[in-house]
């Protein structure tokens, strides 16, 4: 079974631009979560989607948004990029009916904002 | 905001020795999980312990949980060079994929 796939692996943008990151969960996993990792703040929860609906949301400004498609693939979008948005963005998938409460993470998208 | 705080922030030991990492958290939890991260890659789930459990084992890993002290420890026995990584504890007060709250991690270096 293929793991969680995130694209692109690296991304360089300039302030004010917007960016879209993509995540394909493990086949059969209908829950996708997004996390931001920075050296200063560590790992922080952005949001979680299940069956195309946002179920949980972390404490991030409205510039951070996401969506999930009917095939469970998810995208997150950051508009009006700021230097502080430079981070590793991690996607994780979860199978609520699988009996195991653990997240499977992708390798992440490293976003650099110049 | 960070709920879990790992201690120590960094740990360097010789191959074959045991490594112990501690985690403290602030609010009541449903479960506590430990994850490993190699060099800024994705996290790998290691072990989960529920709030009503006190100790759990998985291979060379032993996790303890003390809910009265709001703390947990992860013991890796007979360490190997491949164990070099950052280790994070993560808590959730809900279930399933409710947003995990991660600590800042312990960076473990195993010297050959």
């Amino acid at each position: 079974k293929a793991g969680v796939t995130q694209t692109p692996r690296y991304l360089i943008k300039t302030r004010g631009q917007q960016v879209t990151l993509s995540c394909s969960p493990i086949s059969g996993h209908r829950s996708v979560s997004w996390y931001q990792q920075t050296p200063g703040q560590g790992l922080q929860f952005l949001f979680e989607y299940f069956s195309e609906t946002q179920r949980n949301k972390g404490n991030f400004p409205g510039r951070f948004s996401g969506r999930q498609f009917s095939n469970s693939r998810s995208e997150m979008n950051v508009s009006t990029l700021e230097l502080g948005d430079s981070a590793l963005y991690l996607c994780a998938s979860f199978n609520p009916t699988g009996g195991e409460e653990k997240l499977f993470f992708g390798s992440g998208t490293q976003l650099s904002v110049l | 905001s960070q709920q879990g705080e790992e201690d120590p922030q960094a740990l360097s030991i010789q191959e074959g020795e045991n490594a112990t990492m501690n985690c403290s958290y602030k609010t009541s939890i449903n479960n506590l999980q430990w994850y490993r991260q190699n060099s800024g890659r994705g996290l790998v789930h290691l072990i989960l312990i529920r709030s009503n459990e006190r100790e759990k084992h998985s291979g060379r890993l032993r996790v303890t949980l003390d809910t009265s002290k709001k703390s947990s420890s992860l013991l890796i026995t007979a360490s190997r060079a491949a164990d070099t990584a950052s280790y994070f504890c993560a808590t959730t007060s809900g279930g399933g994929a409710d947003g995990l709250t991660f600590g800042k991690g312990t960076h473990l270096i195993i010297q050959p």
Side-chain angles (χ1 to χ4, degrees):
Chain A
K1 214 182 233 187
V4 178
T5 304
Q6 289 189 248
T7 57
R9 181 71 181 97
Y10 299 96
L11 206 49
I12 300 175
K13 292 286 187 179
T14 56
R15 278 182 301 173
Q17 288 186 312
Q18 75 165 18
V19 66
T20 299
L21 312 181
S22 180
C23 172
S24 293
I26 291 172
S27 177
H29 287 196
R30 292 163 60 194
S31 167
V32 174
S33 302
W34 288 89
Y35 288 80
Q36 181 197 64
Q37 185 176 27
T38 61
Q41 297 298 316
L43 280 151
Q44 294 187 286
F45 171 70
L46 281 156
F47 27 66
E48 185 237 347
Y49 287 86
F50 178 79
S51 292
E52 303 178 64
T53 301
Q54 186 181 91
R55 288 204 301 190
N56 293 292
K57 189 177 190 304
N59 189 26
F60 277 81
R63 299 186 298 107
F64 292 81
S65 64
R67 60 177 175 168
Q68 187 180 34
F69 302 95
S70 58
N71 62 358
S72 294
R73 191 177 71 85
S74 176
E75 289 181 346
M76 69 162 281
N77 183 276
V78 187
S79 62
T80 318
L81 284 166
E82 301 176 0
L83 295 179
D85 297 333
S86 294
L88 180 66
Y89 289 89
L90 293 163
C91 164
S93 78
F94 171 71
N95 181 8
T97 60
E100 286 189 277
E101 290 186 53
K102 66 180 185 181
L103 300 185
F104 295 83
F105 282 84
S107 295
T109 293
Q110 184 67 55
L111 172 65
S112 297
V113 182
L114 306 178
Chain B
S1 63
Q2 298 294 322
Q3 153 129 280
E5 293 289 336
E6 281 90 341
D7 168 51
Q9 289 188 339
L11 179 62
S12 180
I13 61 174
Q14 295 294 124
E15 196 167 17
E17 294 181 335
N18 295 342
T20 299
M21 288 158 270
N22 303 297
C23 165
S24 61
Y25 57 92
K26 297 174 183 172
T27 63
S28 61
I29 61 172
N30 180 47
N31 66 57
L32 185 146
Q33 305 175 43
W34 286 88
Y35 286 83
R36 184 187 75 224
Q37 184 179 40
N38 291 85
S39 291
R41 306 290 291 187
L43 284 81
V44 175
H45 181 270
L46 295 175
I47 194 165
L48 178 151
I49 186 165
R50 300 191 185 282
S51 59
N52 61 353
E53 297 176 309
R54 291 297 167 258
E55 187 172 313
K56 203 161 182 181
H57 296 253
S58 177
R60 295 184 296 114
L61 305 179
R62 172 179 169 253
V63 171
T64 62
L65 179 64
D66 187 335
T67 53
S68 67
K69 295 181 180 178
K70 292 186 168 58
S71 67
S72 173
S73 68
L74 172 68
L75 168 68
I76 303 174
T77 61
S79 63
R80 305 167 181 168
D83 295 328
T84 294
S86 292
Y87 292 80
F88 297 89
C89 68
T91 59
T92 178
S93 55
D98 279 3
L100 293 177
T101 302
F102 284 87
K104 293 214 167 184
T106 291
H107 185 54
L108 175 65
I109 298 171
I110 309 299
Q111 306 277 6

